[in-house]
Amino acid sequence: MLTKKMTNEEFRKYGGEILTWIAEYFTNPERYRVLANVKPGEVRKRFPQSPPLEPESMDVVMKDFHSIIMPGLTQWNHPGFMAYFANSSSQPAILAELLAAAVNPNAMLWKTAPAAVELEEVVIDWIRQMIGLQEGFVGLMHDTASTSSLVALAAAREACGLNIREKGMTGRSDIPRLRLYMSEHAHSSIDKAALVLGLGEEGIRKIPANAEFQMKSEALVRAIEEDTQSGWKPCAVVATVGTTSTTSVDPVRDIAEIARRHGLWLHVDAAYAGNAAVLPEMRWLMDGCDAADSLVLNPHKWLFVPLDCSILLYRNPDAFRRAFSFVPEYLRSEEERNPMDYGIALGRRFRALKLWMVLRIYGVRLIREQLRSHIELAQKFRKWVEASENFEALAPSPFSVVCFRYNPFTKRGSSHQNSEELNRMNELLVERVNAGGEVFLSSTKVSGMVMIRLAVGNVFTKEVHVRKAWDLLRTHAAEQAFSIQPQTA
């Protein structure tokens, strides 16, 4: 038994101090650099090599938190964080996390956490309604889209009818090799899922995209037919609603019809952009998704709940139960609503509470207003890019992400239009903008071009922060001493 532990009086004291600090942090998150100014290993060196043998005071622990940990964190709640898919946590969700940690339920069985299991069902159905999916979809919460997609594709593999659950995949001569289809711009988590599930890199077939970075439906049909004739077993296809690099939207309705015709499982990765369907005017992006077998959406990306919170929706729970249900005697239960039977995890956090609290405190109307403001800010930034002499947009911007690059030759023509030198110019530009610590942008490379990405998604981001990013980009572009001289084509 612990001979020294935190008393309720101490808990109340330090809990109050921490909540006060959090409130001050939210009042002015810009007091910190958005991108941590540390080198690899620098934070670790500031901590002892061995764990403390004797108790330490909370005052000392919090001093280290403020002096070592906070300066060593990239601040995802910073309004200047516009890299990757920006996200932020909100105050109601933080309070919900505190409550969930206090009661600490494990939502593996219905009887181990009845309210947690049923609240999860409630908020998942609320989200289904909010994005306009038809009735009949149910689901489960996971940590991230990587897990959600892995679980969905495991169910797809089981649905192939090859007795893989019972007999496995290795050493069998009675089954063909399985093929998974996805766009060349699909997220890397889909590749990883294929590797974990034993399909291998050769079991992945990436379908080329059109000029707007959308999967070509006709190319998918040709690939399926070629593979079938060559002895492969087409298993599943993944359509993306909001690709990671460019936020392009695959033609889901066409892909769904192809999947139905060829007997493939259709999984839709809508981890980021699916949240935008909360807006009635953006409901178009869910066209065809009602025909999907599974769909993933991450509220932690754009619905203002902290990591982690991913929702996997599906139409046929039995496929997931066949893939995952395994009940030892010590977990036997008469109830049928046991989440552990529909996914990988046995231990399951009370994730639904924070999403429930955000939806209750803000309501759909205010959430819609916030999403609209993010999209409007991105569109305003895109107009600045398009009006510039030295910058150009490189992909459509249907949501809150703009892909662009610095190109001083764009208005006059140059042999350097798609050169590696131009790519390096943009890589250097991003590095210099980020080095200041006021904003954080990311980049990607598509079709040989380095693209800078500005992603608006933080609840604190306003026009002044987007304008700051634009001013920094132009300032550093003008100051940068480039080695390339313009050459007319």
Side-chain angles (χ1 to χ4, degrees):
M1 181 177 179
L2 292 175
T3 57
K4 175 179 174 57
K5 61 182 180 179
M6 183 176 287
T7 65
N8 279 337
E9 290 72 20
E10 290 174 319
F11 179 71
R12 187 176 293 110
K13 173 182 180 293
Y14 290 112
E17 291 178 3
I18 289 172
L19 283 175
T20 298
W21 179 85
I22 293 172
E24 292 174 352
Y25 172 71
F26 275 109
T27 300
N28 183 23
E30 292 170 90
R31 77 186 75 174
Y32 298 98
R33 291 173 50 91
V34 59
L35 189 62
N37 187 26
V38 293
K39 296 182 175 65
E42 187 175 327
V43 173
R44 181 172 181 172
K45 288 179 181 178
R46 298 188 63 185
F47 290 109
Q49 294 292 310
S50 303
L53 182 62
E54 301 297 332
E56 298 184 82
S57 72
M58 189 68 173
D59 289 328
V60 172
V61 173
M62 289 306 299
K63 181 180 178 181
D64 284 351
F65 172 80
H66 292 302
S67 65
I68 302 175
I69 294 177
M70 282 302 293
L73 288 176
T74 294
Q75 301 295 325
W76 285 70
N77 269 336
H78 195 291
F81 188 106
M82 290 175 265
Y84 312 116
F85 285 128
N87 67 66
S88 61
S89 55
S90 58
Q91 290 95 328
I94 292 169
L95 294 177
E97 288 279 65
L98 182 64
L99 292 172
V103 295
N104 197 32
N106 184 347
M108 58 182 180
L109 304 172
W110 178 87
K111 70 179 180 182
T112 61
V117 171
E118 295 190 21
L119 185 63
E120 186 169 328
E121 295 172 350
V122 168
V123 295
I124 286 174
D125 195 62
W126 284 1
I127 293 295
R128 177 196 64 77
Q129 295 176 49
M130 288 167 62
I131 64 175
L133 272 184
Q134 67 182 16
E135 291 186 8
F137 279 87
V138 295
L140 204 65
M141 284 186 169
H142 297 283
D143 51 4
T144 66
S146 297
T147 301
S148 291
S149 292
L150 172 63
V151 168
L153 293 174
R157 186 183 65 174
E158 184 62 26
C160 286
L162 300 174
N163 294 321
I164 289 173
R165 175 186 171 118
E166 292 79 14
K167 298 182 179 181
M169 296 178 65
T170 61
R172 293 180 62 181
S173 59
D174 61 327
I175 61 172
R177 298 187 67 184
L178 301 181
R179 184 78 93 179
L180 169 66
Y181 305 91
M182 57 183 175
S183 163
E184 61 180 311
H185 300 299
H187 193 267
S188 61
S189 63
I190 307 302
D191 298 73
K192 282 191 174 184
L195 299 181
V196 171
L197 293 170
L199 276 64
E201 291 184 6
E202 292 183 1
I204 302 167
R205 183 154 182 177
K206 298 192 175 183
I207 307 303
N210 61 21
E212 294 190 340
F213 311 106
Q214 302 164 317
M215 185 193 297
K216 293 181 178 179
S217 301
E218 64 278 11
L220 174 62
V221 173
R222 286 197 301 271
I224 293 171
E225 292 175 347
E226 289 171 3
D227 287 344
T228 302
Q229 294 171 4
S230 300
W232 288 87
K233 168 72 173 175
C235 176
V237 56
V238 177
T240 308
V241 173
T243 58
T244 302
S245 287
T246 65
T247 69
S248 58
V249 178
D250 287 335
V252 180
R253 182 167 295 281
D254 292 344
I255 295 170
E257 172 56 27
I258 295 167
R260 185 200 62 77
R261 193 162 67 242
H262 293 274
L264 276 67
W265 182 286
L266 172 59
H267 176 60
V268 175
D269 179 359
Y272 158 69
N275 296 283
V278 172
L279 298 172
E281 64 270 26
M282 300 297 290
R283 199 62 54 80
W284 59 266
L285 64 91
M286 301 302 289
D287 183 39
C289 289
D290 283 336
D293 295 284
S294 54
L295 179 146
V296 60
L297 176 145
N298 283 358
H300 68 231
K301 277 194 168 69
W302 208 4
L303 289 183
F304 319 118
V305 297
L307 282 167
D308 48 30
C309 184
S310 178
I311 292 177
L312 177 62
L313 292 150
Y314 42 81
R315 290 188 293 127
N316 182 8
D318 288 342
F320 291 84
R321 189 179 181 89
R322 290 197 306 273
F324 293 106
S325 181
F326 188 87
V327 185
E329 283 299 324
Y330 50 81
L331 291 176
R332 196 160 297 283
S333 172
E334 295 180 0
E335 297 84 10
E336 295 184 358
R337 302 161 69 178
N338 295 323
M340 71 171 193
D341 291 334
Y342 299 90
I344 298 169
L346 181 59
R348 301 183 68 255
R349 299 199 304 117
F350 193 2
R351 295 186 179 93
L353 190 66
K354 57 187 172 184
L355 181 54
W356 174 75
M357 196 167 288
V358 166
L359 296 178
R360 291 287 302 276
I361 296 299
Y362 294 130
V364 175
R365 182 176 61 80
L366 289 183
I367 290 172
R368 284 173 174 166
E369 289 180 6
Q370 184 71 73
L371 295 179
R372 283 194 186 99
S373 73
H374 288 167
I375 294 173
E376 289 168 1
L377 285 174
Q379 297 310 311
K380 183 168 291 189
F381 181 86
R382 184 184 178 92
K383 289 179 181 178
W384 299 339
V385 169
E386 291 175 334
S388 169
E389 286 289 320
N390 296 322
F391 287 84
E392 59 182 343
L394 296 176
S397 304
F399 308 111
S400 65
V401 175
V402 181
C403 296
F404 63 100
R405 70 174 174 179
Y406 174 68
N407 185 355
F409 319 125
T410 185
K411 305 296 183 183
R412 64 190 88 164
S414 169
S415 60
H416 296 291
Q417 284 275 12
N418 294 301
S419 66
E420 282 303 314
E421 291 89 346
L422 188 56
N423 284 344
R424 184 56 184 156
M425 289 162 64
N426 281 274
E427 290 170 347
L428 285 171
L429 178 58
V430 172
E431 290 175 8
R432 292 176 180 181
V433 168
N434 290 342
E438 294 179 274
V439 301
F440 180 28
L441 307 178
S442 59
S443 63
T444 187
K445 193 171 187 180
V446 178
S447 301
M449 294 184 294
V450 169
M451 299 180 177
I452 303 173
R453 295 173 72 264
L454 179 135
V456 183
N458 192 297
V459 70
F460 298 111
T461 301
K462 305 291 186 290
E463 183 174 342
V464 64
H465 304 108
V466 177
R467 171 61 74 175
K468 169 62 72 174
W470 180 234
D471 289 344
L472 288 169
L473 284 161
R474 291 188 299 166
T475 298
H476 285 289
E479 293 175 350
Q480 191 165 319
F482 296 116
S483 60
I484 302 174
Q485 295 300 316
Q487 298 177 10
T488 56

